[in-house]
Amino acid sequence: MCGRFAITLPSDAMAQLFAAQPANDLPQMPDYNVCPTNAVHAVQAGDSGRQLVSMRWGFLPDWYKSESAGPLLINARAETLAQKPAFAAACRERRCLIPATGFYEWTKAGDGARLPWYIHRSNAAPMAFAAVWQSWGADDPIKTCAIVTTAANETLLSLHHRMPLVLEPQDWGRWLGENGHGAARLMQPGAAGILDFHRVDPAVNSNRASGPELIELFENGDIPRGRLI
């Protein structure tokens, strides 16, 4: 799954990377501790080209009467994306990309302590998570999104059995629907070796924590230990 991530790339650099026109209300950057319900950067396709916009991380189906009317849908499983009533239409018509520098996962120590890990591309390049979005609300609609997840690849199995679907640049257009059909074929775990990870300070366990120190290597924390959570 993906419950927290970091994005440090400036908005103008994101717009350039994805060849997208930036909106005026993008979230402030950098953000080393993006949490559910936060506003996130998202890339969507449109008639006039790609747009870099702000979306609420937490997908709201159109039948929700309020933002808390049902479960908080921050992730959507690739295996059932096209069948789940909440996501089926978005899977066909409203796919987007969520830029990230890296994401967090947790294991649990023998004493019950939560041990945070930071996962990033081995070459330190930015990531693009596959996601789906939904416009919600009649009077003042907001765009909401969920990150698509797959089974973990061999690299991350020691941390968790799920991972976000990380798309390579050559696949961005297909996921966004710009290059015809075939998005379903992209919903597979990434190849082992494209990601790396290291232990980080338990300070990130708090959703109020911030700052670049959250993604720095935590001393003596470079080998997965404990049980998965």
Side-chain angles (χ1 to χ4, degrees), residues 2 5-7 9 14 17-18 43 97-104 118-130 156 163-169 172 194-196:
C2 181
F5 66 92
I7 175 64
L9 199 64
M14 273 188 266
L17 176 65
F18 292 95
V43 179
L97 302 170
I98 296 181
T101 308
F103 62 98
Y104 299 97
Y118 181 65
I119 300 104
H120 54 91
R121 292 194 73 111
S122 302
N123 62 2
M127 300 181 186
F129 298 150
L156 299 188
M163 64 177 285
L165 174 55
V166 179
L167 296 177
E168 299 302 316
W172 295 348
I194 66 169
L195 301 178
D196 201 356

Side-chain angles (χ1 to χ4, degrees), residues 175-213:
W175 181 258
L176 292 174
E178 299 168 339
N179 299 335
H181 300 293
R185 293 195 295 272
L186 302 176
M187 290 192 281
Q188 303 292 331
I194 66 169
L195 301 178
D196 201 356
F197 58 87
H198 58 264
R199 268 286 308 281
V200 291
D201 195 301
V204 77
N205 291 353
S206 169
N207 60 12
R208 294 184 295 274
S210 62
E213 64 276 8

